[in-house]
Amino acid sequence: MPSGTVHCCEVRNLEKAFDQTVVLSNVNLAMPSGSFTVLVGASGCGKSTLLRTVAGLESPTSGSIWMGDRDVTALPPKDRDIAMVFQSYALYPHLSVRENLAFGLKLRRTPETEIAGRVAEASAILGLDALLDRLPKQLSGGQRQRVAMGRAIVRRPRMFLFDEPLSNLDAALRAEVRVDIRKLHDRMGGTTLYVTHDQVEAMTLADTLCLLRAGQIEQMGPPLELFDRPVSRYVAEFLGSPKINCLDGQLVYTNAGPHITIGSSTLSVPERYRALSPQSVVVGLRPHHLTPASAEAPQFGTLLVTFYEALGFETYVHGTLQGAGDKALVIRVDSNHRVARGDAIAIGVRPEHTVLFDPKSGRALDT
Amino acid sequence: MKAWLVSILLVVVAFGFVLGDCRSTAANRIVLWHAYRGAEEQALLELTARYEAQTGTTVEVLAVPFLAYASKLSSAIERDQGPDVFIDAHERLGSYRDDGLVVHADAAFPKDDNERYDAIATKVARDDEGVAWGVPFALKGVALILNTSLVEGAPDSIESLVKSRNDGAYPLAYEAESAYVHAPWLHAFGGSMLGPNDAYGFTGEPARKSVLFARSLVSSGLVPASADGALVKQLFESGKAAAIIGGPGLVSELPKGLPLRVMPLPRMHAAASAPEPFLTVELLFLAPRSVARPEVSAFARFLASDESARTRVRAQVVANAATWKGAEAIAPHLRAFHDAALASRPMSTRTAMRATWEPVEQAIRSAMRAPNIDTASLDAILVESARRFESSKPKTTSASKARGFTAVAVTLFAAALVAYRSSRPRFWSGLRASAGAYAYVMHAAIAVFVLVVLPLIAGAVTSFFSGPRNHMTYAGIGNYVDILTARGGPLLGYGSFYRTLLVTIVWTIANVTLHVTIGLALALLLSRPLLRLRGLYRTLLIVPWAVPSYVTALAYKGMFHQQFGAVNALLRKCGAEPVSWFSHFSTAFAANVATNVWLGFPFMMVVILGALTNVPKDVLEAADVDGATSWQRFRHVTLPLLLPQLAPAIVLGAVWTFNMFNVVFLVSGGEPDNQTDILVSEAYRWAFTRHAQYGYAAAYAVLIFGILWLTSRLSRRWQTEVA
Amino acid sequence: MANGGRLNARQNVKALVVHALLIGAVIYALYPVLWVLTVAFSRDGLGTDGFVLPWPRHWTFANFAIATGASTGKSALFFRQLVNSLTVSASTALLSIAIAAPAAYALARMQFVGKRTGLSGLMLTQMFPTVASAVPLYFILSQLHLLDRRAGLVVAYSATALPFAIFQLKAAFEAIPVELEEAAMVDGATRFEAFVRVVLPVARPALAVTALFAFMSAWNEFVLAATLMSREEAFTLPVVLQRFVGEHSAAWGPFAAGSIVVSIPVMAIFYIAQKQLLSGLTAGSVKG
Ligand SMILES: Nc1ncnc2c1ncn2[C@@H]1O[C@H](COP(=O)(O)OP(=O)(O)OP(=O)(O)O)[C@@H](O)[C@H]1O
Ligand SMILES: [Mg+2]
């Protein structure tokens, strides 16, 4: 095989169709051993399907899945050495927590003493000791979630699969478990494929972030790369909250060199776009890159404040860009910066934070 | 907890099978079948034990329930699995000969023995050529049974018996609407149920007079109306009837110590000759496989011998003449039954005899229940009953035996199906992909096909034949044409296919609606949180399901009796007029429905209780939070979640109810005038009364199947159109 | 507090109404059985006073002695027949579940050629009256050498009970979340193991109810039992019971007594097992 390194798991040219509807196409994904890959994407884009195909719960229409140097495409899930945590947890309702944890090991005829040891270890890690003899129906949502994870880790599989495991938890718990999951991953040393549509989870957990769009991989790479160097307007808009500001502008060359005009405002052009010819562009400006004008962030326009959200540690200010046909815009300011409706704020941006997209294709213009 | 239950189950099964099947292995055994019980059975067992001791032969005796006797005999003997000797009534000889179930018994009943038995029995056991078809064994017939504490002496006529005073008890009670007990009157007036050449005999002057005579007994109020056997017995036991008409079997079921006396039926002033009851001679029949086994004939001779008769006469009216002449102490009632038997008329052995009961009883019932009756209306009733007898006769059709028909038809059908299927594009690849699933369904498919589908197909094939079982002739679609044209009668006349179909539909709808409603209501009540005594209620409410339905259905029949039923007693207590439940279609139908609903609601209740546990609590709570009233919650949340789970039970329940014949049989018996019969009960009548026309019954079955199939197709189409 | 009191009073009234309704239903269910009981316990059968509340006038256990063979010294035979009934019915329950469950699972979860045909065929078998099929069934069982064996009865009963059992279990399996099986398969189970170790335990109540139905159908059947078995030691109780009914007369007392004896085990089983029969077990398997 051409790829030099052997990955823990590799998806090659995967295509999956249910009857006539194509759900995944041309998916190529390589997960090195020990990596933490997060799949994100809009609802219905095929994340779960991809995960389930990797698990062997769905068989691909074409393409193959490799684990190590083995083609596992035709193997049933049980022979793939994986563990999966379902969004609904799927705990066995007729088994106690202890039996739920031991189930997979029993199926593999692991000796009793080893089962006991591994269950004890997992329950210690996850703090399940007090719950071991309860039935799933006697547990809270968070506890069930931990049992589901415990069931995965006792098995010490080569690979962990998670399908939105935190979506049923409250915000605080979610933040806590999120950290736990990453710690667990580092401790167990397995390879993880993780589906979520929560971008905080995606950004914080991932070594590699993979964004799916309508069944195809839109962009894949380290999370910050996707965040800072999105390959498309879609990626830029998908990641980051509040959403990136996208303004229609023109790349023009004047005597003063290239710059971008948005209505009556003007922006300087980052270094990497200098080679572009004059054209219509979409200008992407992340809210937290837009600040009150300063030396590093020279003013490019004036924001007329319509309303603001003070979150305590920062404030999002919504308004319109003066002279740009009332373009809506969001910026982030420090919370000590008092604003009021009707204020006019001079805003600036550091030139390197500007990203440009082709208005028609939505592709980033620096590639 | 559950593992505990399963292990008990397994232990029971294991224990049961450890006991082993008791199949006999003795090489030279003789197998004897009978339907006796009580003292008669004891006597028989005593004799066989004696025979075994004397000869060293192994005799296997099997007592078969009467209800299953005939069908078991024919199935078993045809497969050579049956008895060597069996005891049965002589009147079945005709059909047994037709079906080849019996052989000559000349070895067991040589000509020299003729004098040994009562002449009347000898005559019955031999055909016109003098060939013996059985060995005379016992005589069964009815006589008058008197309660001596209520009647003194022997009444010299029926009329004087009826006029005698006896402390407010009925002077006489008998099954006034049974053709069998009515027959003595008919015979007294010179009639007979079946004339020469299988002509219908319940016609003309004798029939008319006999009916009017019976009617006069009942309408005088001195004889209870519409009494069945159980009621007659009850009346006698409780001193409410001074005299009844019944056989030795009835006497043996009466409580000991009842002061009674038996005598032949006294004469009637109204008729010239004496009332002559029907006589049944029980014969020892030899099955075909006993041919060339002299030891079987020897055994039969032993059982029928005078020596054995001395033992048997303790319990039955033996057919041995010497026994009665002897000086032995014989129970007086048996002696009286013997006297009565000698003055009785042996029933005809013709197969057509069986087909007379229904029309005769029909005529008697109509005439007895009509508020007023004149010559014209009585004649109309008799004409109608004769018409029914005629129309139930098998039609003779071309005789071409179609052998292998079944196999050919099935193979062709399967081949056509496969051909049709394999012509579709993805058939073969689909088949390969299905292999895994087939491993799961194979066992069920084979079991259902072999044990359910094949018998049904074989049954369906019979529908193209007509005539009795062993002489079926190919009739094409003749049976269907007959049924669908109502055998030439009016299309919506009583007993016609279309009218019965209507009744069946109403019957199904009424029952299923009530089953589901009651079951659902009770299940909802029982699943209320915090209900106390839940377990007790649940258990008590399944009682109707747990008690064998045969006995409870008969209890229901008793409850609806006009004079003595609890329902009318209740009505009377409430000051309402008692209702003659089985005289009108609507009330008889209601009685059937009441019984069937009672029998069926626990099943629905259990199914619904199970389904209710699958309705998620949080959804119900969500509805509560949304401010739904409990009705709204039920209507918009519980019910929609419940229905898909109940669908199989409801659909199957409807199908089963459509084919639920035994309630109709046991409760209304089709009364009045077969109006409450449903399609299957019609089918059963064709198969087991009315000349035993299996082909006809099978055609009914196929038509029922067709109707249900069409309904399900239409309803599915309708559902998809709505959706 | 006053408010709470009113609420309590209302709840009490409600509870009272519920109990009144249930007691009414119990009376409806038991009333005809009271007649059967009266006949069973009476020395002289049912009176004919047209009474509304039947009650034995002269109590006796003689009918039970006759029904159970105690009066003729045949109680060992009766016990044997009771064991037969239990064995045959319990085996029918087990066998029909064993055959129906995998089939129902495949019908609920898998796609295969012939699935729709099979399902409608199964339904069709229920539509065909059995009026003309007893003789062919006897023939088939004799070809299979299953005549006169309790195993033959078990096989015949199970086959008859199969269609309903399959429909019932199919509906139950469809109600179980697919994730449970998927989780098991990821945990290392084959499809069949997932079915046996996860689906079956979770469907326990449905299995129990279906088994009860099969048990009951075998427990009360007598025509087939009387036809297939040719030794008294091999008869089941309903056959023995039916022997009390003759052509022209019937021994109602022993028949009623026997019917009660026959129904007691069923009610005992139901009473003991009702928790298992009627408890929801899927709670807690998925979501919070
Ligand atoms: N068994 C199936 N049959 C047909 N279509 C399916 C099936 N399973 C999924 N799909 C379709 O495939 C597409 C992708 O589904 P998938 O479950 O992978 O989405 P997802 O990305 O996980 O979405 P979500 O974030 O909402 O869970 C959807 O359009 C869905 O409708
Ligand atoms: Mg998903």
Side-chain angles (χ1 to χ4, degrees), chain C residues 7-273:
Chain C
L7 213 77
N8 256 334
R10 251 188 63 194
Q11 273 171 351
N12 280 341
V13 170
K14 250 191 178 169
L16 235 99
V17 171
V18 169
H19 280 279
L21 285 172
L22 283 172
I23 289 170
V26 167
I27 291 174
Y28 169 62
L30 294 189
Y31 181 69
V33 178
L34 202 56
W35 287 79
V36 179
L37 280 170
T38 306
V39 174
F41 281 108
S42 294
R43 176 140 41 89
D44 46 4
L46 266 184
T48 49
D49 305 319
F51 42 62
V52 177
L53 200 66
W55 201 248
R57 286 174 305 176
H58 305 284
W59 285 82
T60 179
F61 285 97
N63 289 325
F64 285 89
I66 297 173
T68 57
S71 63
T72 43
K74 280 188 170 178
S75 36
L77 180 63
F78 182 83
F79 179 74
R80 171 90 212 226
Q81 289 159 337
L82 174 70
V83 171
N84 284 344
S85 262
L86 284 171
T87 311
V88 168
S89 306
S91 315
T92 301
L94 290 177
L95 183 64
S96 60
I97 289 290
I99 300 179
Y105 177 70
L107 288 168
R109 288 281 200 256
M110 302 178 188
Q111 294 303 324
F112 54 92
V113 176
K115 173 171 161 172
R116 282 190 39 188
T117 319
L119 269 175
S120 43
L122 217 51
M123 184 51 103
L124 295 184
T125 60
Q126 301 298 291
M127 298 178 174
F128 209 105
T130 50
V131 59
S133 56
V135 179
L137 178 62
Y138 187 92
F139 175 81
I140 290 168
L141 286 169
S142 91
Q143 290 297 307
L144 296 174
H145 299 285
L146 284 173
L147 281 186
D148 217 5
R149 288 169 191 265
R150 285 167 305 169
L153 266 191
V154 171
V155 167
Y157 289 159
S158 303
T160 331
L162 271 184
F164 177 72
I166 291 177
F167 282 121
Q168 195 67 17
L169 290 179
K170 175 175 169 279
F173 292 156
E174 277 166 353
I176 296 174
V178 191
E179 282 102 328
L180 288 183
E181 288 151 72
E182 293 178 345
M185 287 196 271
V186 171
D187 267 353
T190 58
R191 180 132 212 186
F192 187 70
E193 278 174 321
F195 165 62
V196 172
R197 305 187 65 152
V198 175
V199 176
L200 286 185
V202 172
R204 233 152 68 176
L207 290 175
V209 171
T210 313
L212 177 73
F213 292 157
F215 185 94
M216 291 291 293
S217 68
W219 185 254
N220 280 335
E221 204 284 338
F222 81 90
V223 176
L224 210 56
T227 312
L228 296 184
M229 304 313 235
S230 294
R231 295 268 304 186
E232 268 180 76
E233 292 85 351
F235 278 170
T236 54
L237 287 187
V239 181
V240 182
L241 259 189
Q242 213 61 43
R243 292 245 299 109
F244 291 112
V245 179
E247 184 173 12
H248 294 295
S249 68
W252 290 117
F255 192 100
S259 301
I260 287 159
V261 172
V262 164
S263 42
I264 285 172
V266 177
M267 294 180 50
I269 291 175
F270 187 84
Y271 187 79
I272 296 167

Side-chain angles (χ1 to χ4, degrees), chain B residues 294-314:
Chain B
E295 69 270 26
V296 173
S297 294
F299 173 63
R301 264 191 99 172
F302 165 81
L303 283 183
S305 68
D306 289 346
E307 164 70 19
S308 304
R310 269 199 286 282
T311 303
R312 290 190 286 121
V313 79
R314 295 203 305 259

Side-chain angles (χ1 to χ4, degrees), chain B residues 36 72 421 438 538 569, chain C residues 50 113 117 143 229 243 274:
Chain B
Y36 285 149
K72 182 175 174 69
R421 278 310 190 77
Y438 289 153
R538 278 198 295 225
Chain C
V113 176
T117 319
Q143 290 297 307
M229 304 313 235
R243 292 245 299 109
Q274 53 177 323

Side-chain angles (χ1 to χ4, degrees), chain A residues 52 78 91-92 108 144, chain C residues 182 184 187 190 197 285 287:
Chain A
R52 292 164 52 82
K78 73 180 180 80
L91 300 184
Y92 310 122
R108 291 186 155 75
R144 285 177 199 175
Chain C
E182 293 178 345
D187 267 353
T190 58
R197 305 187 65 152
S285 64
K287 291 252 179 84

Side-chain angles (χ1 to χ4, degrees), chain B residues 208-219:
Chain B
R208 206 176 299 141
K209 281 189 176 153
S210 72
V211 168
L212 289 175
F213 175 74
R215 201 180 139 91
S216 72
L217 293 179
V218 170
S219 59

